[in-house]
Amino acid sequence: MDVPTRRRLLPSLNAIRTFEAVARHQSFTHAAAELYVTQSAASRLVRSLETYLDLPLFVRVSRRIELTDQGRFYADLVRDALDRIEAGTMELISTRDGGGTLSIGMLPTFGTRWLIPRLSAFQALYPDIVLNLVSNDGPLDFAAQKIDVAVRFGHGGWPDAIAEPLMSEEVVVVCSPAIMAGRHPLSDFDALEHHRLIRHATRPDAWNHWFRSIDVTPAALHWGPTLEHFYMVIQAAIAGLGIALLPRLLVEDEIQRRALIVPYDVRVTGPGAYYVVSPKAKAELMRVRAFRRWIIETSKAA
């Protein structure tokens, strides 16, 4: 049985590439230099695309060009399509021998405490994938950080990315054994008024959320240091600089060896969750799909 053929309604790829470059640079001159063609050739290719579409993509304002509304819509669509083609091409080239490099953006403390101890299981399943770990807990920028996939804490909704939830986070109050043996041990919630509360810079509302969750309104709060990374908060709590509120999964070792004490038997889930996040342009790459599938299954078993 003959399979019916369908002719794709596609313009010239050269015209598409030229239009994307001109839209990105907002300049025929700069786009032409990038593509190693003359300015007149770049202009001619864009005009041919406008003729094909039968609508203007740019408006010429004096010496400048600006995208029309239709041009802006088409530029976003074309850029996404070219990104996917480029990523897929690089994937095929890098994995033609069954290998390739997977760059993972990880939160510093989560990476060292939870992810890295489990990565040998992933490596055993995919021995030909080379892992590159990038530690960062600032804004997520896949292109600038040159990462394929990341683990982040938040509420989802990263732009131009696919985010899949991994796990929620139980938070616990912890303190040093010296505080529990001191003048004001944490025998009840009121005792917190006698101590400084350590804060994490990226979780400024964490303590307020904890108090709301247990329906406690402290008469007074005394703030201690605000620290940038969880491992700094952990060390500050061990050193007795104050009382810390930490994800239990990050301090399980300190709790087990009693470097830190959990004084309150309450279970509070922190706001937000951990997500595995990948840019849409790379979401279907074989190594990214393999890592996403593995870390989701691993988080469920944790």
Side-chain angles (χ1 to χ4, degrees), residues 196-228:
R196 295 187 181 277
L197 307 184
I198 304 170
R199 289 185 289 185
H200 190 285
T202 66
R203 311 275 185 92
D205 195 48
W207 275 107
N208 290 330
H209 172 82
W210 187 80
F211 284 120
R212 288 194 300 268
S213 297
I214 62 173
D215 197 23
V216 168
T217 303
L221 293 177
H222 303 287
W223 297 114
T226 297
L227 302 169
E228 188 175 358

PDB file of all heavy atoms in Angstrom, residues 196-228:
ATOM      1  N   ARG A 196      19.040  33.220  69.331  1.00  0.00           N
ATOM      2  CA  ARG A 196      19.032  33.834  68.000  1.00  0.00           C
ATOM      3  C   ARG A 196      18.661  32.780  66.955  1.00  0.00           C
ATOM      4  O   ARG A 196      19.098  31.625  67.033  1.00  0.00           O
ATOM      5  CB  ARG A 196      20.402  34.436  67.678  1.00  0.00           C
ATOM      6  CG  ARG A 196      20.777  35.601  68.601  1.00  0.00           C
ATOM      7  CD  ARG A 196      22.062  36.271  68.151  1.00  0.00           C
ATOM      8  NE  ARG A 196      22.408  37.363  69.046  1.00  0.00           N
ATOM      9  CZ  ARG A 196      21.902  38.589  68.964  1.00  0.00           C
ATOM     10  NH1 ARG A 196      21.025  38.870  68.007  1.00  0.00           N
ATOM     11  NH2 ARG A 196      22.282  39.535  69.799  1.00  0.00           N
ATOM     12  N   LEU A 197      17.856  33.203  65.993  1.00  0.00           N
ATOM     13  CA  LEU A 197      17.411  32.297  64.926  1.00  0.00           C
ATOM     14  C   LEU A 197      18.235  32.558  63.674  1.00  0.00           C
ATOM     15  O   LEU A 197      18.273  33.683  63.156  1.00  0.00           O
ATOM     16  CB  LEU A 197      15.920  32.506  64.638  1.00  0.00           C
ATOM     17  CG  LEU A 197      14.969  32.425  65.841  1.00  0.00           C
ATOM     18  CD1 LEU A 197      13.523  32.555  65.376  1.00  0.00           C
ATOM     19  CD2 LEU A 197      15.181  31.127  66.606  1.00  0.00           C
ATOM     20  N   ILE A 198      18.870  31.516  63.184  1.00  0.00           N
ATOM     21  CA  ILE A 198      19.709  31.619  61.977  1.00  0.00           C
ATOM     22  C   ILE A 198      18.806  31.543  60.757  1.00  0.00           C
ATOM     23  O   ILE A 198      17.882  30.721  60.691  1.00  0.00           O
ATOM     24  CB  ILE A 198      20.755  30.488  61.943  1.00  0.00           C
ATOM     25  CG1 ILE A 198      21.607  30.512  63.214  1.00  0.00           C
ATOM     26  CG2 ILE A 198      21.635  30.604  60.706  1.00  0.00           C
ATOM     27  CD1 ILE A 198      22.498  29.286  63.377  1.00  0.00           C
ATOM     28  N   ARG A 199      19.098  32.386  59.763  1.00  0.00           N
ATOM     29  CA  ARG A 199      18.281  32.393  58.547  1.00  0.00           C
ATOM     30  C   ARG A 199      19.119  32.046  57.316  1.00  0.00           C
ATOM     31  O   ARG A 199      20.325  32.304  57.282  1.00  0.00           O
ATOM     32  CB  ARG A 199      17.630  33.765  58.351  1.00  0.00           C
ATOM     33  CG  ARG A 199      16.533  34.052  59.338  1.00  0.00           C
ATOM     34  CD  ARG A 199      15.820  35.363  59.055  1.00  0.00           C
ATOM     35  NE  ARG A 199      16.654  36.511  59.354  1.00  0.00           N
ATOM     36  CZ  ARG A 199      16.219  37.774  59.273  1.00  0.00           C
ATOM     37  NH1 ARG A 199      14.977  38.033  58.911  1.00  0.00           N
ATOM     38  NH2 ARG A 199      17.042  38.767  59.563  1.00  0.00           N
ATOM     39  N   HIS A 200      18.437  31.460  56.330  1.00  0.00           N
ATOM     40  CA  HIS A 200      19.038  31.182  55.022  1.00  0.00           C
ATOM     41  C   HIS A 200      18.626  32.291  54.063  1.00  0.00           C
ATOM     42  O   HIS A 200      17.457  32.655  53.989  1.00  0.00           O
ATOM     43  CB  HIS A 200      18.573  29.821  54.506  1.00  0.00           C
ATOM     44  CG  HIS A 200      19.308  29.344  53.289  1.00  0.00           C
ATOM     45  ND1 HIS A 200      19.088  29.865  52.041  1.00  0.00           N
ATOM     46  CD2 HIS A 200      20.277  28.397  53.135  1.00  0.00           C
ATOM     47  CE1 HIS A 200      19.872  29.256  51.174  1.00  0.00           C
ATOM     48  NE2 HIS A 200      20.609  28.364  51.804  1.00  0.00           N
ATOM     49  N   ALA A 201      19.602  32.814  53.314  1.00  0.00           N
ATOM     50  CA  ALA A 201      19.350  33.999  52.486  1.00  0.00           C
ATOM     51  C   ALA A 201      18.252  33.792  51.457  1.00  0.00           C
ATOM     52  O   ALA A 201      17.500  34.721  51.156  1.00  0.00           O
ATOM     53  CB  ALA A 201      20.644  34.425  51.790  1.00  0.00           C
ATOM     54  N   THR A 202      18.131  32.575  50.906  1.00  0.00           N
ATOM     55  CA  THR A 202      17.120  32.344  49.865  1.00  0.00           C
ATOM     56  C   THR A 202      15.783  31.868  50.429  1.00  0.00           C
ATOM     57  O   THR A 202      14.839  31.660  49.668  1.00  0.00           O
ATOM     58  CB  THR A 202      17.623  31.314  48.837  1.00  0.00           C
ATOM     59  OG1 THR A 202      17.766  30.041  49.475  1.00  0.00           O
ATOM     60  CG2 THR A 202      18.953  31.753  48.234  1.00  0.00           C
ATOM     61  N   ARG A 203      15.701  31.677  51.746  1.00  0.00           N
ATOM     62  CA  ARG A 203      14.445  31.260  52.384  1.00  0.00           C
ATOM     63  C   ARG A 203      14.076  32.248  53.495  1.00  0.00           C
ATOM     64  O   ARG A 203      13.986  31.858  54.668  1.00  0.00           O
ATOM     65  CB  ARG A 203      14.572  29.853  52.966  1.00  0.00           C
ATOM     66  CG  ARG A 203      15.161  28.791  52.020  1.00  0.00           C
ATOM     67  CD  ARG A 203      14.122  28.175  51.128  1.00  0.00           C
ATOM     68  NE  ARG A 203      14.696  27.102  50.337  1.00  0.00           N
ATOM     69  CZ  ARG A 203      14.704  25.817  50.698  1.00  0.00           C
ATOM     70  NH1 ARG A 203      14.149  25.460  51.841  1.00  0.00           N
ATOM     71  NH2 ARG A 203      15.240  24.895  49.927  1.00  0.00           N
ATOM     72  N   PRO A 204      13.891  33.517  53.189  1.00  0.00           N
ATOM     73  CA  PRO A 204      13.685  34.521  54.246  1.00  0.00           C
ATOM     74  C   PRO A 204      12.413  34.316  55.065  1.00  0.00           C
ATOM     75  O   PRO A 204      12.331  34.774  56.205  1.00  0.00           O
ATOM     76  CB  PRO A 204      13.636  35.841  53.471  1.00  0.00           C
ATOM     77  CG  PRO A 204      13.219  35.457  52.081  1.00  0.00           C
ATOM     78  CD  PRO A 204      13.850  34.116  51.838  1.00  0.00           C
ATOM     79  N   ASP A 205      11.417  33.616  54.498  1.00  0.00           N
ATOM     80  CA  ASP A 205      10.144  33.448  55.212  1.00  0.00           C
ATOM     81  C   ASP A 205      10.028  32.079  55.881  1.00  0.00           C
ATOM     82  O   ASP A 205       8.969  31.711  56.371  1.00  0.00           O
ATOM     83  CB  ASP A 205       8.979  33.638  54.234  1.00  0.00           C
ATOM     84  CG  ASP A 205       7.641  33.834  54.952  1.00  0.00           C
ATOM     85  OD1 ASP A 205       7.598  34.655  55.893  1.00  0.00           O
ATOM     86  OD2 ASP A 205       6.663  33.151  54.589  1.00  0.00           O
ATOM     87  N   ALA A 206      11.127  31.315  55.902  1.00  0.00           N
ATOM     88  CA  ALA A 206      11.048  29.934  56.397  1.00  0.00           C
ATOM     89  C   ALA A 206      10.612  29.855  57.854  1.00  0.00           C
ATOM     90  O   ALA A 206       9.758  29.031  58.217  1.00  0.00           O
ATOM     91  CB  ALA A 206      12.401  29.249  56.213  1.00  0.00           C
ATOM     92  N   TRP A 207      11.179  30.695  58.710  1.00  0.00           N
ATOM     93  CA  TRP A 207      10.796  30.649  60.126  1.00  0.00           C
ATOM     94  C   TRP A 207       9.330  31.040  60.318  1.00  0.00           C
ATOM     95  O   TRP A 207       8.607  30.406  61.088  1.00  0.00           O
ATOM     96  CB  TRP A 207      11.695  31.574  60.949  1.00  0.00           C
ATOM     97  CG  TRP A 207      12.975  30.941  61.386  1.00  0.00           C
ATOM     98  CD1 TRP A 207      14.235  31.190  60.909  1.00  0.00           C
ATOM     99  CD2 TRP A 207      13.137  29.953  62.419  1.00  0.00           C
ATOM    100  NE1 TRP A 207      15.170  30.423  61.554  1.00  0.00           N
ATOM    101  CE2 TRP A 207      14.526  29.652  62.504  1.00  0.00           C
ATOM    102  CE3 TRP A 207      12.254  29.295  63.270  1.00  0.00           C
ATOM    103  CZ2 TRP A 207      15.033  28.725  63.404  1.00  0.00           C
ATOM    104  CZ3 TRP A 207      12.757  28.369  64.169  1.00  0.00           C
ATOM    105  CH2 TRP A 207      14.129  28.089  64.238  1.00  0.00           C
ATOM    106  N   ASN A 208       8.903  32.098  59.625  1.00  0.00           N
ATOM    107  CA  ASN A 208       7.495  32.506  59.750  1.00  0.00           C
ATOM    108  C   ASN A 208       6.562  31.393  59.309  1.00  0.00           C
ATOM    109  O   ASN A 208       5.512  31.170  59.915  1.00  0.00           O
ATOM    110  CB  ASN A 208       7.243  33.769  58.938  1.00  0.00           C
ATOM    111  CG  ASN A 208       7.918  34.983  59.544  1.00  0.00           C
ATOM    112  OD1 ASN A 208       8.080  35.050  60.761  1.00  0.00           O
ATOM    113  ND2 ASN A 208       8.316  35.931  58.717  1.00  0.00           N
ATOM    114  N   HIS A 209       6.932  30.687  58.231  1.00  0.00           N
ATOM    115  CA  HIS A 209       6.125  29.556  57.766  1.00  0.00           C
ATOM    116  C   HIS A 209       6.075  28.462  58.833  1.00  0.00           C
ATOM    117  O   HIS A 209       5.000  27.871  59.084  1.00  0.00           O
ATOM    118  CB  HIS A 209       6.713  28.995  56.468  1.00  0.00           C
ATOM    119  CG  HIS A 209       6.065  27.725  56.010  1.00  0.00           C
ATOM    120  ND1 HIS A 209       4.890  27.699  55.305  1.00  0.00           N
ATOM    121  CD2 HIS A 209       6.421  26.415  56.192  1.00  0.00           C
ATOM    122  CE1 HIS A 209       4.546  26.449  55.063  1.00  0.00           C
ATOM    123  NE2 HIS A 209       5.455  25.654  55.588  1.00  0.00           N
ATOM    124  N   TRP A 210       7.199  28.201  59.490  1.00  0.00           N
ATOM    125  CA  TRP A 210       7.244  27.155  60.513  1.00  0.00           C
ATOM    126  C   TRP A 210       6.343  27.520  61.691  1.00  0.00           C
ATOM    127  O   TRP A 210       5.570  26.685  62.175  1.00  0.00           O
ATOM    128  CB  TRP A 210       8.683  26.952  60.966  1.00  0.00           C
ATOM    129  CG  TRP A 210       8.865  25.790  61.895  1.00  0.00           C
ATOM    130  CD1 TRP A 210       8.947  24.465  61.547  1.00  0.00           C
ATOM    131  CD2 TRP A 210       8.989  25.845  63.315  1.00  0.00           C
ATOM    132  NE1 TRP A 210       9.112  23.688  62.678  1.00  0.00           N
ATOM    133  CE2 TRP A 210       9.141  24.512  63.781  1.00  0.00           C
ATOM    134  CE3 TRP A 210       8.983  26.881  64.252  1.00  0.00           C
ATOM    135  CZ2 TRP A 210       9.280  24.196  65.131  1.00  0.00           C
ATOM    136  CZ3 TRP A 210       9.130  26.574  65.592  1.00  0.00           C
ATOM    137  CH2 TRP A 210       9.277  25.249  66.036  1.00  0.00           C
ATOM    138  N   PHE A 211       6.426  28.770  62.136  1.00  0.00           N
ATOM    139  CA  PHE A 211       5.569  29.194  63.258  1.00  0.00           C
ATOM    140  C   PHE A 211       4.085  29.115  62.890  1.00  0.00           C
ATOM    141  O   PHE A 211       3.255  28.688  63.694  1.00  0.00           O
ATOM    142  CB  PHE A 211       5.926  30.617  63.687  1.00  0.00           C
ATOM    143  CG  PHE A 211       7.191  30.710  64.493  1.00  0.00           C
ATOM    144  CD1 PHE A 211       8.263  31.461  64.049  1.00  0.00           C
ATOM    145  CD2 PHE A 211       7.303  30.053  65.707  1.00  0.00           C
ATOM    146  CE1 PHE A 211       9.436  31.551  64.790  1.00  0.00           C
ATOM    147  CE2 PHE A 211       8.463  30.133  66.467  1.00  0.00           C
ATOM    148  CZ  PHE A 211       9.535  30.880  66.000  1.00  0.00           C
ATOM    149  N   ARG A 212       3.741  29.524  61.661  1.00  0.00           N
ATOM    150  CA  ARG A 212       2.342  29.435  61.240  1.00  0.00           C
ATOM    151  C   ARG A 212       1.873  27.987  61.198  1.00  0.00           C
ATOM    152  O   ARG A 212       0.739  27.675  61.558  1.00  0.00           O
ATOM    153  CB  ARG A 212       2.159  30.091  59.861  1.00  0.00           C
ATOM    154  CG  ARG A 212       2.261  31.608  59.866  1.00  0.00           C
ATOM    155  CD  ARG A 212       1.742  32.188  58.552  1.00  0.00           C
ATOM    156  NE  ARG A 212       2.488  31.700  57.402  1.00  0.00           N
ATOM    157  CZ  ARG A 212       3.552  32.315  56.887  1.00  0.00           C
ATOM    158  NH1 ARG A 212       4.007  33.439  57.439  1.00  0.00           N
ATOM    159  NH2 ARG A 212       4.169  31.818  55.828  1.00  0.00           N
ATOM    160  N   SER A 213       2.756  27.090  60.751  1.00  0.00           N
ATOM    161  CA  SER A 213       2.388  25.688  60.590  1.00  0.00           C
ATOM    162  C   SER A 213       2.094  25.018  61.932  1.00  0.00           C
ATOM    163  O   SER A 213       1.251  24.113  62.013  1.00  0.00           O
ATOM    164  CB  SER A 213       3.503  24.923  59.871  1.00  0.00           C
ATOM    165  OG  SER A 213       3.697  25.436  58.556  1.00  0.00           O
ATOM    166  N   ILE A 214       2.798  25.441  62.987  1.00  0.00           N
ATOM    167  CA  ILE A 214       2.565  24.828  64.297  1.00  0.00           C
ATOM    168  C   ILE A 214       1.640  25.692  65.154  1.00  0.00           C
ATOM    169  O   ILE A 214       1.424  25.389  66.338  1.00  0.00           O
ATOM    170  CB  ILE A 214       3.891  24.574  65.039  1.00  0.00           C
ATOM    171  CG1 ILE A 214       4.625  25.889  65.313  1.00  0.00           C
ATOM    172  CG2 ILE A 214       4.769  23.610  64.245  1.00  0.00           C
ATOM    173  CD1 ILE A 214       5.851  25.712  66.190  1.00  0.00           C
ATOM    174  N   ASP A 215       1.126  26.775  64.548  1.00  0.00           N
ATOM    175  CA  ASP A 215       0.166  27.656  65.230  1.00  0.00           C
ATOM    176  C   ASP A 215       0.750  28.246  66.513  1.00  0.00           C
ATOM    177  O   ASP A 215       0.138  28.211  67.587  1.00  0.00           O
ATOM    178  CB  ASP A 215      -1.136  26.903  65.542  1.00  0.00           C
ATOM    179  CG  ASP A 215      -2.287  27.865  65.867  1.00  0.00           C
ATOM    180  OD1 ASP A 215      -2.214  29.035  65.430  1.00  0.00           O
ATOM    181  OD2 ASP A 215      -3.232  27.440  66.542  1.00  0.00           O
ATOM    182  N   VAL A 216       1.968  28.779  66.370  1.00  0.00           N
ATOM    183  CA  VAL A 216       2.647  29.421  67.499  1.00  0.00           C
ATOM    184  C   VAL A 216       2.975  30.860  67.103  1.00  0.00           C
ATOM    185  O   VAL A 216       3.474  31.107  66.003  1.00  0.00           O
ATOM    186  CB  VAL A 216       3.937  28.675  67.888  1.00  0.00           C
ATOM    187  CG1 VAL A 216       4.785  29.509  68.848  1.00  0.00           C
ATOM    188  CG2 VAL A 216       3.598  27.326  68.512  1.00  0.00           C
ATOM    189  N   THR A 217       2.690  31.792  68.001  1.00  0.00           N
ATOM    190  CA  THR A 217       3.048  33.197  67.777  1.00  0.00           C
ATOM    191  C   THR A 217       4.034  33.610  68.859  1.00  0.00           C
ATOM    192  O   THR A 217       3.648  33.836  70.015  1.00  0.00           O
ATOM    193  CB  THR A 217       1.807  34.108  67.840  1.00  0.00           C
ATOM    194  OG1 THR A 217       0.846  33.651  66.879  1.00  0.00           O
ATOM    195  CG2 THR A 217       2.184  35.547  67.542  1.00  0.00           C
ATOM    196  N   PRO A 218       5.316  33.681  68.529  1.00  0.00           N
ATOM    197  CA  PRO A 218       6.305  34.021  69.554  1.00  0.00           C
ATOM    198  C   PRO A 218       6.159  35.468  70.019  1.00  0.00           C
ATOM    199  O   PRO A 218       5.802  36.353  69.249  1.00  0.00           O
ATOM    200  CB  PRO A 218       7.644  33.807  68.835  1.00  0.00           C
ATOM    201  CG  PRO A 218       7.319  33.952  67.387  1.00  0.00           C
ATOM    202  CD  PRO A 218       5.920  33.462  67.210  1.00  0.00           C
ATOM    203  N   ALA A 219       6.421  35.675  71.308  1.00  0.00           N
ATOM    204  CA  ALA A 219       6.336  37.033  71.856  1.00  0.00           C
ATOM    205  C   ALA A 219       7.451  37.910  71.318  1.00  0.00           C
ATOM    206  O   ALA A 219       7.279  39.125  71.154  1.00  0.00           O
ATOM    207  CB  ALA A 219       6.401  36.965  73.380  1.00  0.00           C
ATOM    208  N   ALA A 220       8.593  37.310  71.027  1.00  0.00           N
ATOM    209  CA  ALA A 220       9.729  38.073  70.500  1.00  0.00           C
ATOM    210  C   ALA A 220      10.625  37.145  69.696  1.00  0.00           C
ATOM    211  O   ALA A 220      10.740  35.947  69.997  1.00  0.00           O
ATOM    212  CB  ALA A 220      10.519  38.713  71.636  1.00  0.00           C
ATOM    213  N   LEU A 221      11.245  37.704  68.656  1.00  0.00           N
ATOM    214  CA  LEU A 221      12.197  36.956  67.844  1.00  0.00           C
ATOM    215  C   LEU A 221      13.525  37.701  67.835  1.00  0.00           C
ATOM    216  O   LEU A 221      13.557  38.929  67.707  1.00  0.00           O
ATOM    217  CB  LEU A 221      11.689  36.797  66.410  1.00  0.00           C
ATOM    218  CG  LEU A 221      10.444  35.935  66.195  1.00  0.00           C
ATOM    219  CD1 LEU A 221      10.042  35.943  64.730  1.00  0.00           C
ATOM    220  CD2 LEU A 221      10.699  34.510  66.655  1.00  0.00           C
ATOM    221  N   HIS A 222      14.596  36.965  67.963  1.00  0.00           N
ATOM    222  CA  HIS A 222      15.933  37.550  67.928  1.00  0.00           C
ATOM    223  C   HIS A 222      16.688  36.894  66.770  1.00  0.00           C
ATOM    224  O   HIS A 222      16.980  35.696  66.819  1.00  0.00           O
ATOM    225  CB  HIS A 222      16.660  37.322  69.248  1.00  0.00           C
ATOM    226  CG  HIS A 222      15.915  37.862  70.430  1.00  0.00           C
ATOM    227  ND1 HIS A 222      15.808  39.206  70.697  1.00  0.00           N
ATOM    228  CD2 HIS A 222      15.201  37.225  71.398  1.00  0.00           C
ATOM    229  CE1 HIS A 222      15.083  39.396  71.788  1.00  0.00           C
ATOM    230  NE2 HIS A 222      14.685  38.201  72.238  1.00  0.00           N
ATOM    231  N   TRP A 223      16.974  37.676  65.753  1.00  0.00           N
ATOM    232  CA  TRP A 223      17.590  37.117  64.552  1.00  0.00           C
ATOM    233  C   TRP A 223      19.101  37.022  64.694  1.00  0.00           C
ATOM    234  O   TRP A 223      19.763  37.943  65.166  1.00  0.00           O
ATOM    235  CB  TRP A 223      17.241  37.955  63.325  1.00  0.00           C
ATOM    236  CG  TRP A 223      15.775  37.978  63.023  1.00  0.00           C
ATOM    237  CD1 TRP A 223      14.942  39.042  63.081  1.00  0.00           C
ATOM    238  CD2 TRP A 223      14.967  36.863  62.632  1.00  0.00           C
ATOM    239  NE1 TRP A 223      13.658  38.679  62.756  1.00  0.00           N
ATOM    240  CE2 TRP A 223      13.639  37.336  62.467  1.00  0.00           C
ATOM    241  CE3 TRP A 223      15.218  35.505  62.414  1.00  0.00           C
ATOM    242  CZ2 TRP A 223      12.588  36.520  62.105  1.00  0.00           C
ATOM    243  CZ3 TRP A 223      14.162  34.682  62.042  1.00  0.00           C
ATOM    244  CH2 TRP A 223      12.868  35.187  61.888  1.00  0.00           C
ATOM    245  N   GLY A 224      19.615  35.886  64.276  1.00  0.00           N
ATOM    246  CA  GLY A 224      21.048  35.673  64.230  1.00  0.00           C
ATOM    247  C   GLY A 224      21.567  35.942  62.830  1.00  0.00           C
ATOM    248  O   GLY A 224      20.969  36.716  62.075  1.00  0.00           O
ATOM    249  N   PRO A 225      22.664  35.302  62.447  1.00  0.00           N
ATOM    250  CA  PRO A 225      23.244  35.549  61.119  1.00  0.00           C
ATOM    251  C   PRO A 225      22.351  35.037  59.996  1.00  0.00           C
ATOM    252  O   PRO A 225      21.603  34.067  60.159  1.00  0.00           O
ATOM    253  CB  PRO A 225      24.570  34.783  61.165  1.00  0.00           C
ATOM    254  CG  PRO A 225      24.371  33.736  62.215  1.00  0.00           C
ATOM    255  CD  PRO A 225      23.463  34.344  63.232  1.00  0.00           C
ATOM    256  N   THR A 226      22.408  35.719  58.859  1.00  0.00           N
ATOM    257  CA  THR A 226      21.780  35.251  57.626  1.00  0.00           C
ATOM    258  C   THR A 226      22.888  34.727  56.729  1.00  0.00           C
ATOM    259  O   THR A 226      23.838  35.464  56.418  1.00  0.00           O
ATOM    260  CB  THR A 226      21.019  36.387  56.923  1.00  0.00           C
ATOM    261  OG1 THR A 226      19.964  36.843  57.771  1.00  0.00           O
ATOM    262  CG2 THR A 226      20.420  35.902  55.603  1.00  0.00           C
ATOM    263  N   LEU A 227      22.779  33.486  56.313  1.00  0.00           N
ATOM    264  CA  LEU A 227      23.862  32.834  55.580  1.00  0.00           C
ATOM    265  C   LEU A 227      23.376  32.390  54.200  1.00  0.00           C
ATOM    266  O   LEU A 227      22.197  32.121  53.986  1.00  0.00           O
ATOM    267  CB  LEU A 227      24.389  31.644  56.372  1.00  0.00           C
ATOM    268  CG  LEU A 227      24.908  32.019  57.783  1.00  0.00           C
ATOM    269  CD1 LEU A 227      25.174  30.783  58.609  1.00  0.00           C
ATOM    270  CD2 LEU A 227      26.169  32.859  57.670  1.00  0.00           C
ATOM    271  N   GLU A 228      24.324  32.301  53.275  1.00  0.00           N
ATOM    272  CA  GLU A 228      23.981  32.106  51.864  1.00  0.00           C
ATOM    273  C   GLU A 228      23.716  30.654  51.504  1.00  0.00           C
ATOM    274  O   GLU A 228      22.919  30.374  50.620  1.00  0.00           O
ATOM    275  CB  GLU A 228      25.111  32.668  50.984  1.00  0.00           C
ATOM    276  CG  GLU A 228      24.795  32.697  49.511  1.00  0.00           C
ATOM    277  CD  GLU A 228      25.892  33.361  48.709  1.00  0.00           C
ATOM    278  OE1 GLU A 228      26.871  33.837  49.301  1.00  0.00           O
ATOM    279  OE2 GLU A 228      25.766  33.390  47.470  1.00  0.00           O
TER     280      GLU A 228
END
